[in-house]
Amino acid sequence: MTRTQLAQQYQVCLPTFNRMLSMIPDFTYDKNLRTLTPKQVGLIYQHLGEPPD
């Protein structure tokens, strides 16, 4: 899953979502890679909660 797809799920723009990611402790990602790993996505869901429908 990409950061853009996750930002759309959380209904925020990409710069806002990137700021949200920066607040997650111990979360690192390569800004040059397009996709996040399933483990990273799970950590995002765990910290930010499930995205609204």
Side-chain angles (χ1 to χ4, degrees), residues 17-30:
F17 187 70
N18 288 333
R19 275 186 252 122
M20 293 165 66
L21 292 180
S22 70
M23 292 186 241
I24 299 175
D26 300 328
F27 182 76
T28 58
Y29 65 97
D30 185 354

Side-chain angles (χ1 to χ4, degrees), residues 24-46:
I24 299 175
D26 300 328
F27 182 76
T28 58
Y29 65 97
D30 185 354
K31 294 178 178 158
N32 296 322
L33 295 179
R34 290 183 173 257
T35 59
L36 298 171
T37 66
K39 185 175 181 179
Q40 289 172 317
V41 173
L43 184 62
I44 292 168
Y45 285 164
Q46 180 182 352

Side-chain angles (χ1 to χ4, degrees), residues 4-24:
T4 302
Q5 290 171 328
L6 283 170
Q8 289 172 347
Q9 285 185 355
Y10 282 98
Q11 300 172 355
V12 295
C13 64
L14 186 57
T16 300
F17 187 70
N18 288 333
R19 275 186 252 122
M20 293 165 66
L21 292 180
S22 70
M23 292 186 241
I24 299 175

